Amino acid sequence: MPPEAIALRGLTFAWPTPPEGREAVPLFRDLALHLEEGAARTVLGASDGGKSTLCHLLDALVPAYTGGELRAERLEVLGLDLRREIPTPAQVGLLFQETATQLFTTSVEEEIAWGLEALAMEPQAIGRRVEAALTRFGLAGLNRRPPWTLSGGQQKRLALAALWAQSPRLLLLDEPLGGLDPQGRAEVRAALEELRAEGATLLATAALDRLAPWAESCLLAEGMLSPPRPLDRWPKQALAEHGVAVEDAALERLRGAASPRGKAAVELRGVRYRYANGVEALRGLSLRIAEGEMVALIGPNGAGKSTLLRHLNGLLRPAAGSVRLFGQETAGRSVGELAREVGFLFQRPERQLFAATVREEVAYGPRQLGLAEVDRRVETALVRFGLEGLADAPPAILGYGRRRAITLAALAALETPILVLDEPTVGLDGRGWQQLLAWLTERRAAGTTILLATHEMALAATADRVVRLEAGRIAAQGEPAAMLAGEGGR
Amino acid sequence: MITFDLYVPGDSPLHRLDPRVKLLLLAEGLTAAFLIHSPWAMAAGLLVLLGLLRLNGVPLHLLTWLWRQMRVLLFFILLLQPFFSPGGGVLLAWGPLRWTSGGVEAALYLALRVLLMAYLVAALLFTTEQRRLVQALVRLGMPYEWGLMLSLTLRFIPAIYGLFVTVREAQAARGWRAEGPLLKRWRGYLPVLVAVVIGTLRQSDQLTMALAARGLGRTARRTVWRDLRMRPLDWLALGAGLAGAIAFAALRGIG
């Protein structure tokens, strides 16, 4: 029998008791996990379900750095009892979900060298190891680039290279495919496949079945881990119920919610935009969207999708050309004024929460705009996104999934006639997808005009029209079926 | 994304000079700028410095950029300093305030001195990688953890600033408007700061764990890849710097 890389049994863990009135619900209850050396396993679980905590626990960061109450019959990694011993980076490597935080130096090569210096490797050997890691993960030639200028996929690969250079026997990968566009996902998937082929021991997490690196999966739900099973042996419906999958029916409902078109809601004419660094992001772009229409913008990174969206509520102003909403020029109207007509969802919106309570957060927009029936709007939005029980909680202490839901509720409360969404599904778990789809279905049926930028072809396929941007111009547009035929389906 | 990194990638002699030597030369330069009283000497020093930077690959637009950053400060020095250093004939009088010829002269000197010092500091930052600068400080005796803290700060300031901009945009997109009295407008910034502080705390928690997971403090002694090493040119510059300082001190002793 091969030696055990991970052996957990009877694990119970709860965060430190929160302040008044909130009970400490154990995050893990009698959790068990076994992984043999040389094996690979996915832990599937919805946001806020404890996936990151499990990873941190297996690297002895929890509870050492976070506090919390831990009990276990057995808590061993590579034969080390984590209650007494801390694994070194030469034993366990951890890829953080928020990879950017893990890259703390100012150049790619230094990032890899840093960990080797920490292990007191001989300086002559470090140079060779750095080069080997760069080549191994397809980063050769990027030696001097600052890590924060790399694409999402490159950042993940750099973090992997830095871990790999320290030669760990077990790699913990917290959502390695999450938050990436399809190209980044393909890059990282390939890198992980290679590690797998070399016989590395790997434990990865995923918040969505499609983002599972390996089919052999356990489901983390209600604080317990199910025994492993290949992904295709889980009924899709069960996965959706546990918030880690999207049923096709939800997408179908959105597709079917099309409403009749009215006059022009959005009209861009000959819009040009150039960033201060000289990059010409939009090069004479014209687009007309009818009231009640849903349009999906697709195209590679840097094609100008976000730049275009930012023109709709005045965050950016065209250098030439015009933007009209319901026939009115946006020029001369502030972003705050345009917020009456355009509800805007940013990328990574969960970082933008600032109010003291969830209720205040959701009420902020309607109050700023002096809208009628603020209370009714707020209550409706809170119920819509299952937040009514958390109305008085500070958004800052809530988990990722909840914070994403708050951003949608804050947007929903504005009840704007136009919705502009920039990559709304990135980082969402199955539950987040379902919430988003259900809400969009409702708004679309009610005649709201929707413009969204996405890399998810399954989402783009639900639109009335798909517009493909390339290098700041519309390269093609048309019905989803025709437009997405060559995009590799879902 | 803004960065606080002024470094101009290059391979000129000034770039290759050991950062420890550059720190010493900077210290000497700043001391001299304090002690020299001749405006001609300061102006000459500034011209030599600018010429040196151009010859070592610092583009003109960066040199003029620094000038643009400095000119408001210089304007206020020229405007206000005369009030604080009276002397000589009165040029302008406004109530008890007097602009005197001696005061204007003193202000000119001060402005020149500030400008010289700004370019001296910039000369170091233009030609030295942040990593090597921190390495130099550590080699000169600063504890490694301080050096790490310094580089982490430099690394994450842009991210924090980015977060600030992002939250401002989000507020605007939800109806915030720059209206009403100034005080009320400023109060609009408060929630933004809250969001930025929370974001920063979240990030620094993660960062602490990431550093630990990668092995910070796991060995008694870290090794250093590509450590600083003094080469003949560095020794030469060090010697010249020291000789210059001695000569300067001797001259001032005599004068």
Side-chain angles (χ1 to χ4, degrees), chain A residues 41-103:
Chain A
R41 180 84 49 82
T42 302
V43 171
L44 267 181
S47 297
D48 311 344
K51 294 191 306 300
S52 295
T53 309
L54 181 63
C55 290
H56 295 169
L57 205 142
L58 290 170
D59 204 9
L61 298 169
V62 168
Y65 287 88
T66 58
E69 201 163 319
L70 180 100
R71 276 179 293 119
E73 283 168 44
R74 199 163 170 219
L75 180 53
E76 281 172 27
V77 166
L78 302 168
L80 303 172
D81 187 334
L82 295 183
R83 284 164 293 195
R84 288 195 300 275
E85 288 165 289
I86 300 169
T88 72
Q91 289 166 323
V92 178
L94 170 57
L95 180 75
F96 282 72
Q97 181 181 8
E98 189 78 16
T99 307
T101 327
Q102 194 173 11
L103 305 174

Side-chain angles (χ1 to χ4, degrees), chain A residues 141-362:
Chain A
L142 297 175
N143 301 45
R144 309 299 283 263
R145 279 274 293 277
W148 60 87
T149 64
L150 301 177
S151 72
Q154 286 172 328
Q155 290 193 8
K156 292 264 187 216
R157 281 188 289 141
L158 173 57
L160 280 172
L163 296 175
W164 177 83
Q166 289 181 304
S167 329
R169 286 166 59 199
L170 166 67
L171 271 175
L172 305 169
L173 312 164
D174 194 7
E175 296 206 30
L177 301 175
L180 294 175
D181 59 43
Q183 193 198 330
R185 234 181 274 164
E187 289 170 17
V188 176
R189 216 183 255 281
L192 296 182
E193 277 311 321
E194 273 181 53
L195 285 171
R196 179 81 195 98
E198 287 164 17
T201 313
L202 305 158
L203 183 76
T205 68
L208 202 56
D209 55 349
R210 290 188 295 123
L211 302 181
W214 298 286
E216 196 70 11
S217 303
C218 311
L219 186 64
L220 177 61
E222 275 107 48
M224 286 180 282
L225 262 179
S226 73
R229 210 194 283 187
L231 259 181
D232 51 17
R233 301 265 303 279
W234 289 101
K236 188 91 168 174
Q237 196 192 345
L239 292 179
E241 271 166 28
H242 284 108
V244 294
V246 191
E247 281 186 279
D248 290 341
L251 288 157
E252 282 308 321
R253 279 194 291 276
L254 176 56
R255 195 202 309 271
S259 58
R261 319 276 170 81
K263 54 189 190 310
V266 176
E267 228 179 337
L268 286 84
R269 281 192 203 154
V271 171
R272 290 180 172 276
Y273 188 82
R274 184 194 292 271
Y275 284 98
N277 63 9
V279 173
E280 206 175 6
L282 296 180
R283 303 194 290 176
L285 189 143
S286 298
L287 178 66
R288 185 182 178 279
I289 301 172
E291 244 181 289
E293 193 180 6
M294 174 169 163
V295 173
L297 279 182
I298 61 169
N301 288 323
K305 299 191 295 295
S306 292
T307 309
L308 190 162
L309 296 187
R310 284 170 163 259
H311 275 80
L312 266 71
N313 70 341
L315 284 168
L316 297 177
R317 306 286 176 168
S322 69
V323 180
R324 283 164 204 264
L325 302 177
F326 300 111
Q328 299 276 313
E329 282 265 7
T330 57
R333 288 191 283 167
S334 71
V335 179
E337 285 170 69
L338 294 168
R340 233 170 250 288
E341 283 157 25
V342 177
F344 199 99
L345 186 72
F346 290 82
Q347 290 185 20
R348 313 255 348 246
E350 75 285 352
R351 301 188 305 166
Q352 300 174 335
L353 303 175
F354 47 79
T357 66
V358 173
R359 189 191 307 278
E360 275 175 49
E361 188 73 53
V362 176

Side-chain angles (χ1 to χ4, degrees), chain B residues 78-101:
Chain B
L78 289 175
L79 185 74
L80 300 175
Q81 179 63 23
F83 297 124
F84 300 101
S85 44
V90 175
L91 298 176
L92 260 175
W94 186 59
L97 299 175
R98 277 173 174 57
W99 248 48
T100 61
S101 61

